[in-house]
Amino acid sequence: MPQTPVSLPDFRREKRLRRNGLWPIAGIDEVGRGCLAGPVAAAAVILDPSDVPDGLDDSKRLPAAMREALYEEILARGLAVAVAFVSAADIDQINIRQASLTAMRRALAALAIAPSYVLIDGNDLPADLACPGEAIIKGDSLSASIAAASIVAKVARDRLMTRLCSAHPAYGFSRHVGYATPEHLAAIAKHGPSPYHRLSFSPLRQI
């Protein structure tokens, strides 16, 4: 049977909000929530309505080479882009949900252009945002702005984990970017946690 084609995120929500007088619109997404190591990252992106890159999609559905290419396009063609991280140590202090929301707030605050409205992936809208917004479940597969933010956050975090791999090569961070793969779990069992591991996450909290 032929497969149903996967629909790509579009800019219709942003256009509708703009017609209603809300502009600029920022998309926000986070990555790394389920990892055992490294920070959680969030990105905020304001796309140019007249120059939206083709091929934007949920970063998890894109091959690595396409993510990298789109990352460069978003930085070059977007009106404003910002990335924020919350460290593993802070995640252990405040929990992963609060760390994710903090990263989103930081990314939004770091934008060079202040948005009038934000579209955030998921069902959790951070409190105390500088502007109104809405959380959209599976927003990274629906909104082009959120999809762009998911790509920027994913590539920025993956690059950081590759740099951490150079300092701690025994864990293979560049290959699994902190997720609980068999390789990663075996490295933790052999070497113990690094300074970048989340000690509040199982199985690390049992070590």
Side-chain angles (χ1 to χ4, degrees), residues 62-157:
L62 293 169
M66 190 174 294
R67 274 200 308 267
E68 291 280 344
L70 282 167
Y71 173 87
E72 299 298 340
E73 280 199 59
I74 295 162
L75 264 59
R77 297 161 58 182
L79 297 178
V81 180
V83 181
F85 299 93
V86 174
S87 71
D90 286 342
I91 291 168
D92 289 337
Q93 288 292 316
I94 64 175
N95 76 48
I96 186 59
R97 175 178 177 268
Q98 292 302 324
S100 298
L101 297 175
T102 296
M104 291 180 184
R105 281 192 292 267
R106 289 178 181 174
L108 181 63
L111 285 171
I113 299 171
S116 296
Y117 198 81
V118 294
L119 302 173
I120 295 178
D121 182 55
N123 57 6
D124 216 355
L125 191 68
D128 303 322
L129 290 177
C131 65
E134 63 185 286
I136 303 171
I137 295 172
K138 297 189 182 299
D140 49 7
S141 62
L142 298 171
S143 158
S145 298
I146 298 176
S150 79
I151 291 165
V152 171
K154 170 67 174 164
V155 172
R157 187 181 183 279

Side-chain angles (χ1 to χ4, degrees), residues 23-49:
W23 188 258
I25 306 296
I28 300 178
D29 200 3
E30 56 78 23
V31 298
R33 192 164 179 153
C35 294
L36 298 180
V40 64
V45 175
I46 300 174
L47 293 172
D48 183 343

Side-chain angles (χ1 to χ4, degrees), residues 176-202:
H176 52 68
V177 298
Y179 284 97
T181 64
E183 174 195 7
H184 190 188
L185 293 172
I188 293 169
K190 182 175 181 180
H191 302 287
S194 77
Y196 302 104
H197 279 94
R198 304 173 185 179
L199 302 182
S200 58
F201 279 41
S202 180

Side-chain angles (χ1 to χ4, degrees), residues 154-193:
K154 170 67 174 164
V155 172
R157 187 181 183 279
D158 284 0
R159 290 181 178 184
L160 174 62
M161 294 306 293
T162 296
R163 292 197 294 274
L164 294 183
C165 192
S166 298
H168 297 273
Y171 298 95
F173 290 146
S174 63
R175 293 184 290 279
H176 52 68
V177 298
Y179 284 97
T181 64
E183 174 195 7
H184 190 188
L185 293 172
I188 293 169
K190 182 175 181 180
H191 302 287

